Amino acid sequence: MSTKRINGIHLEKMIKNGLANLQQHEEEANRLNVFPVPDGDTGTNMVLTLGNGVRYAKSSDDAGAYLRSLSDGMLLGARGNSGVILSQFFRGFAAELARSPIIGPGELRNGLIRGYRAAYEAVVHPVEGTILSVVREGIEHIRTQITRNSSIESILSMYIAEMRKTLSFTPEMLSVLKEAGVVDSGAYGFILIAEGMLKCLYGEVIDPKELPQPYTDAPVDLSLFNENSEFADGYCTEFILQRLVNSRYQQEFNKEDFISELRFFGNSIAVIVDGMRVKVHIHTLYPSKVIAFAQQYGEFLTFKMENMQVQHNEHDRIVEQKKEHKPLAVIAVVNGEGLKTLFSNFGCDIVIDGGTTMNTSSAEFLEAFDKVDADAIVVLPNNPNIILAARQAVELSKRRDITVVESKSAAQGYFAMAMDIPDSDDVKFRISQMQSGIDNIATVSQTVASRDYSYHEISCRKGDEIALLDSEIVSVGSDYVKTIVDTIAVIPDIDDKETCVLFRGRDVPEEREEELYELLSSLYPMMDFEFIDGGQEIYHWIIGLA
């Protein structure tokens, strides 16, 4: 088979097949994660990100139009660092092809180039040996071999082959991969998507798994429209009409005349004609008249109608739910009922549940931004895997008054809130105080290894007790207390620390606090200790020392 050009319908099938291929190997990608803590597996984050794009995207013959909606959905649903990078790749890909209803060899080459450049730009400190290296070298090594006579199959085949070569070298680029004996999981996930797309062109359709419900597709709240509601906003109506040559239908079709007739029924009209297919968007109070008019020319391939009054009422409800105007609002992400209560009591305006392994999406941040009424907003991600999604949400919101204070643990977020001065109207000073709260904070996290791991002098087996200092494993053993004590002991300025706050996990009995307190207080008699029931699900203990 030799395909020289693909349209939006072809591309949609390819993307869906790529997602299905990734789903088939999701756990394989997760297992390539070298770190033995299950706090945001790569394969799962990439499936959720691309899956949200697929569910959000609008079918279209126009490849550029389809890509724009796919990219929008991915940006909103991006989860974890791998998901954000994947969404940024497709953002660049979509931007390059925005005006390309048909994708040929040259357009595909240029889209892949702009895609990797956008991905690099999204990362403050790009690391080679990751998905970034693979998508860059994949196209740069073959770009001069692509001509106008190249087939889409040959381009994707070369692209995948080059990416697999680079993938095999990722352990040489990144020592943590080499010591673990694995390749980069994000790069592997991206190659799975590309391979699924190529398989689609060769007629191999992969059975998709059921997609999780997208965050952006919330069910309609029926309470927002009842017998007492006014109806002024009409329906947002979208459809693709297939014109038919049957004698029952009018054969003479003129786009301008078609639009002129639609103006009698509504506004916000957009009409795209692609051969014998017509895509229509219109806001109307009389959808039945639009339907009857359109059916003079053919029948519907797709049809969607939404009650805009419900959307309007939802917006009004959000506005009503906003808290009183404040100089500064704080949004934090935590996991665990105790931590959620703590951060709320601390003065956080919105506390987002970070879940167990499902990282917070950009869309969840955007909704939170919309719910507060403040001159400025501070975001505390409290997890290194959420920082990129928070930054992306800030970019999508277009607001200039949002600051991401890059707290990497609930302990850092706790000390940031402790340094805040809520009574002050000096927003810049308050933000600087919160930023200073995470400076020089040592975080010790204790849990059980979820997989075998080896890096430098540290190795562990699945099921071992492990303790980490600021995301680096320091101690491994069978006694969780010893791992904590050994890790605290290697903190460079431990003798200068005065405060130790210990957040107890959901599955840790309360009586364990006394055991830990007696030992730590005997080792550090000048230190103040505070135990808090955090209720977090992954880490048995999160300990902050200041």
Side-chain angles (χ1 to χ4, degrees):
M1 183 177 289
S2 180
T3 305
K4 296 295 175 66
R5 290 150 64 91
I6 55 175
N7 64 15
I9 301 301
H10 297 136
L11 184 61
E12 180 179 9
K13 292 178 181 178
M14 292 168 64
I15 295 290
K16 287 182 175 179
N17 217 50
L19 173 59
N21 196 45
L22 176 62
Q23 288 178 303
Q24 296 292 331
H25 302 278
E26 179 180 337
E27 287 307 313
E28 292 175 33
N30 286 342
R31 285 195 293 271
L32 288 177
N33 279 353
V34 294
F35 216 52
V37 180
D39 58 351
D41 285 331
T42 299
T44 299
N45 284 335
M46 295 180 80
V47 165
L48 290 169
T49 301
L50 183 55
N52 200 75
V54 166
R55 294 289 294 269
Y56 189 87
K58 297 179 174 67
S59 297
S60 173
D61 279 350
D62 187 314
Y66 172 75
L67 280 172
R68 287 194 299 273
S69 60
L70 175 79
S71 173
D72 289 345
M74 292 181 68
L75 289 170
L76 291 170
R79 297 179 185 272
N81 293 340
S82 56
V84 171
I85 292 172
L86 182 66
S87 71
Q88 287 293 326
F89 176 91
F90 273 94
R91 181 182 68 83
F93 190 71
E96 180 64 30
L97 301 174
R99 293 180 174 83
S100 301
I102 302 293
I103 298 175
E107 289 85 4
L108 180 57
R109 175 198 60 212
N110 295 340
L112 295 175
I113 292 171
R114 189 161 176 183
Y116 87 69
R117 289 177 177 170
Y120 266 88
E121 290 170 3
V123 182
V124 176
H125 302 294
V127 177
E128 298 300 335
T130 64
I131 183 176
L132 296 173
S133 304
V134 169
V135 295
R136 173 176 55 81
E137 294 191 2
I139 186 59
E140 288 295 341
H141 288 176
I142 67 168
R143 62 186 298 179
T144 58
Q145 301 174 50
I146 299 173
T147 70
R148 67 177 62 184
N149 294 319
S150 299
S151 68
I152 304 298
E153 290 91 344
S154 66
I155 295 171
L156 285 178
S157 295
M158 290 190 295
Y159 183 53
I160 292 167
E162 289 299 328
M163 286 197 295
R164 282 206 167 272
K165 286 181 186 177
T166 304
L167 179 69
S168 68
F169 283 110
T170 54
E172 303 302 321
M173 302 180 197
L174 209 52
S175 58
V176 65
L177 299 176
K178 187 171 185 178
E179 293 204 23
V182 297
V183 295
D184 182 72
S185 55
Y188 177 65
F190 186 89
I191 291 172
L192 289 171
I193 295 169
E195 287 180 337
M197 293 172 68
L198 178 60
K199 288 178 179 180
C200 180
L201 289 174
Y202 285 118
E204 182 181 342
V205 178
I206 301 169
D207 291 333
K209 296 182 180 179
E210 183 177 356
L211 288 174
Q213 280 297 318
Y215 183 79
T216 53
D217 254 1
V220 174
D221 185 346
L222 299 181
S223 68
L224 296 174
F225 194 79
N226 56 43
E227 65 274 12
N228 298 313
S229 297
E230 294 184 7
F231 187 67
D233 289 325
Y235 299 94
C236 177
T237 306
E238 293 182 328
F239 56 83
I240 296 176
L241 182 74
Q242 174 66 65
R243 290 174 51 210
L244 298 172
V245 297
N246 188 295
S247 59
R248 289 172 47 202
Y249 304 95
Q250 290 189 29
Q251 300 306 305
E252 292 185 11
F253 179 89
N254 179 277
K255 179 179 177 180
E256 297 307 318
D257 292 342
F258 187 80
I259 293 173
S260 295
E261 288 293 325
L262 285 177
R263 288 198 179 105
F264 287 107
F265 309 128
N267 53 35
S268 296
I269 298 168
V271 176
I272 298 172
V273 178
D274 182 14
M276 293 290 285
R277 289 180 178 171
V278 185
K279 181 172 182 179
V280 175
H281 173 279
I282 182 173
H283 292 172
T284 178
L285 289 167
Y286 311 106
S288 60
K289 294 183 178 180
V290 174
I291 292 170
F293 169 68
Q295 280 186 300
Q296 295 179 78
Y297 298 94
E299 300 297 340
F300 302 106
L301 290 173
T302 64
F303 192 96
K304 184 177 78 170
M305 184 175 70
E306 294 177 336
N307 184 325
M308 291 192 297
Q309 193 66 49
V310 174
Q311 297 170 342
H312 179 87
N313 293 348
E314 170 68 13
H315 177 268
D316 287 348
R317 183 172 69 173
I318 290 174
V319 171
E320 290 173 4
Q321 288 175 344
K322 285 184 177 180
K323 302 180 180 180
E324 76 264 12
H325 181 80
K326 304 175 67 174
L328 181 67
V330 182
I331 297 169
V333 181
V334 294
N335 168 239
E337 292 304 315
L339 282 170
K340 286 190 286 186
T341 300
L342 174 69
F343 275 75
S344 293
N345 292 340
F346 239 147
C348 285
D349 296 85
I350 294 181
V351 179
I352 300 173
D353 189 344
T356 307
T357 60
M358 187 182 296
N359 298 140
T360 305
S361 70
S362 297
E364 289 169 280
F365 282 116
L366 286 169
E367 182 178 297
F369 299 160
D370 207 29
K371 285 183 177 178
V372 296
D373 184 4
D375 295 327
I377 299 173
V378 161
V379 179
L380 297 171
N382 296 333
N383 186 323
N385 290 330
I386 298 176
I387 291 173
L388 271 183
R391 283 196 207 133
Q392 182 159 281
V394 173
E395 181 182 341
L396 290 171
S397 74
K398 307 299 183 186
R399 291 183 62 158
R400 302 292 183 185
D401 53 4
I402 305 176
T403 302
V404 179
V405 174
E406 297 187 0
S407 52
K408 296 180 180 178
S409 68
Q412 285 192 346
Y414 171 88
F415 283 104
M417 290 300 298
M419 291 296 291
D420 185 24
I421 305 174
D423 296 334
S424 173
D425 291 333
D426 189 336
V427 170
K428 289 185 178 179
F429 176 67
R430 288 181 60 186
I431 294 174
S432 68
Q433 284 291 102
M434 296 175 76
Q435 181 63 56
S436 70
I438 70 172
D439 295 337
N440 302 314
I441 301 299
T443 301
V444 174
S445 308
Q446 194 280 320
T447 187
V448 173
S450 61
R451 55 172 63 85
D452 295 349
Y453 173 82
S454 179
Y455 182 57
H456 289 335
E457 303 298 321
I458 293 290
S459 63
C460 64
R461 305 285 291 177
K462 181 179 180 181
D464 285 346
E465 300 284 350
I466 59 175
L468 306 85
L469 175 60
D470 297 330
S471 301
E472 295 290 333
I473 298 177
V474 171
S475 180
V476 177
S478 58
D479 182 352
Y480 83 94
V481 175
K482 186 176 186 305
T483 65
I484 291 173
V485 170
D486 290 348
T487 303
I488 291 176
V490 303
I491 296 174
D493 57 347
I494 184 60
D495 292 333
D496 298 327
K497 301 294 185 187
E498 299 176 348
T499 303
C500 179
V501 180
L502 303 94
F503 301 96
R504 176 167 51 84
R506 185 187 64 179
D507 298 325
V508 180
E510 187 175 355
E511 53 266 26
R512 295 279 180 88
E513 292 182 3
E514 188 66 28
E515 174 188 12
L516 205 50
Y517 171 72
E518 289 183 2
L519 181 55
L520 291 176
S521 60
S522 66
L523 293 171
Y524 306 100
M526 303 302 292
M527 191 177 291
D528 292 327
F529 294 90
E530 181 180 5
F531 286 83
I532 296 173
D533 180 10
Q536 66 272 9
E537 298 181 54
I538 295 175
Y539 294 100
H540 296 166
W541 295 95
I542 298 175
I543 305 169
L545 298 103

